[in-house]
Amino acid sequence: TLPEKKMIFKGLTVNKENMNTLMLSPLIHYPLLGGSALITFEEAKVAQRIIEMREHTVELSCGELEELDQCRVRVQAVPVDILLPSALEIRLTQSSRSILVSDLPSLDISKEALLDKLELFFSKTKNGGSEVESREFLEDSDQVVLTFTEDGVAEPLIEKGHIQVPIGKGKYKVKISPCMSGDISNLQLQPSRCPRTVLLLGIPDVLSEEAMRDALEIHFQKASRGGGEVDALAYVPAGRTGVAVFVEDRG
């Protein structure tokens, strides 16, 4: 699913070659069915070796099982393939009724009170504004988007660039910028194989979740069984489902 995110462009585009460049950080949600586990090794060569072996017999210390002192389960190891974006095109359009207000002062008032002050100022025609339809702070920022009920109000304010706004006992110079909206016009995906992560399938529900997770980690970290140091392990018992989140490997 494509993400929806309100963003602010900071800085200037200097080189034409960089004008259409957008860096993406993958955040992949991978569904896990019951009776499976994801195991991530510290080294990619270990994961590859585990996948090549395909079937693994895991010994369990079955203290939780009354009749047996020890038992074994067979699990299958398969690679984890995910789709990553390889090309992305975004169509940008400038809003005719919205402005982005930035360089706001740091005052000892609530965000709601500051929004009230901005709405009061920009709703007056003498200040170049008009009736304000909505106002909101952009997430994770100190920028405000003001949307007017009429077209043609935003452009003259944007042309001014800056404007003095009275807030409390002082006047503060704020910056007025265009408000852009973007639609993804083209998205291309390519399959990518996780180099250090292995999917284990066919895990029977014979131990508690914690005991099974420990047994799997003990088995797959032993070099004598083709394993190696385990970085992370997630196990979903039969009858349940889970979601694993993959982020960019910067190691």
Side-chain angles (χ1 to χ4, degrees), residues 183-198:
D183 297 312
I184 294 178
S185 56
N186 183 30
L187 175 64
Q188 297 177 19
L189 301 171
Q190 66 178 13
S192 178
R193 180 159 292 180
C194 296
R196 298 189 298 118
T197 301
V198 176

Side-chain angles (χ1 to χ4, degrees), residues 28-46:
I28 307 298
H29 289 69
Y30 188 88
L32 282 176
L33 299 178
S36 67
L38 280 176
I39 182 168
T40 300
F41 296 96
E42 290 187 357
E43 297 183 0
K45 64 181 181 181
V46 176

Side-chain angles (χ1 to χ4, degrees), residues 120-131 153 157 160 163-164 166 171:
L120 181 63
F121 178 85
F122 284 102
S123 64
K124 296 179 179 179
T125 54
K126 68 177 183 179
N127 297 327
S130 179
E131 182 182 350
V153 179
L157 289 171
K160 288 183 179 180
I163 194 168
Q164 294 274 354
K171 281 192 172 183

Side-chain angles (χ1 to χ4, degrees), residues 201-242:
L201 300 172
I203 305 171
D205 189 16
V206 294
L207 294 180
S208 68
E209 183 176 349
E210 183 178 357
M212 181 62 78
R213 186 166 53 242
D214 290 344
L216 291 171
E217 185 166 353
I218 289 171
H219 176 90
F220 285 101
Q221 72 181 0
K222 292 184 177 180
S224 60
R225 293 165 178 167
E229 285 297 321
V230 174
D231 191 23
L233 189 148
Y235 163 60
V236 180
R240 293 168 53 184
T241 57

Side-chain angles (χ1 to χ4, degrees), residues 162-173:
H162 294 81
I163 194 168
Q164 294 274 354
V165 178
I167 303 175
K169 297 181 180 180
K171 281 192 172 183
Y172 302 91
K173 188 178 183 181

